[in-house]
Amino acid sequence: LPPITYVSIGSRHGAAVSLLDSCTLYVWGDGLSGNLGLGKRIPHQPTPTECTFFKDRGLTIASVSCTRGQRDVKRVVVGGGGISSMSAGQEGPRMHVVTTDGGLW
């Protein structure tokens, strides 16, 4: 790998960006939900692998962040004269990439 500028670690995956190498994004971890951006669903990517999604589209990465999943996420519902809380299920871990043109992926 080239020198890494920053790293973000989520609960099931991670990402690293090398700003010295044309803003290259490397990803690893759980890709079963397709959240690694490699174009395929894989149970586990054990080593950092280049994600070319952004380079292929001529986009430059400004930052990346990985989140952890949340179990039993609650949703607040307002209506019918009151406020109530409903379970919305589980929200899985996500990866968010911001590009220099202001795009959020």
Side-chain angles (χ1 to χ4, degrees):
L1 292 176
I4 298 299
T5 306
Y6 55 86
V7 175
S8 181
I9 304 294
S11 59
R12 295 189 177 185
H13 61 281
V17 176
S18 171
L19 295 180
L20 302 175
D21 186 29
S22 303
C23 297
T24 302
L25 174 65
Y26 297 92
V27 296
W28 65 93
D30 180 5
L32 199 55
S33 298
N35 56 351
L36 294 180
L38 298 175
K40 58 186 173 185
R41 295 172 185 251
I42 53 174
H44 185 69
Q45 176 60 47
T47 58
T49 301
E50 183 177 356
C51 172
T52 62
F53 178 87
F54 299 97
K55 276 188 178 179
D56 292 348
R57 288 159 179 77
L59 297 169
T60 303
I61 296 171
S63 68
V64 63
S65 65
C66 299
T67 64
R68 68 175 203 67
Q70 299 177 1
R71 291 182 34 207
D72 301 323
V73 175
K74 300 293 181 186
R75 180 174 60 161
V76 175
V77 179
V78 179
I83 299 174
S84 65
S85 176
M86 297 175 55
S87 177
Q90 179 174 345
E91 181 170 323
R94 303 281 186 253
M95 182 182 316
H96 306 282
V97 176
V98 176
T99 53
T100 56
D101 65 353
L104 175 63
W105 300 79

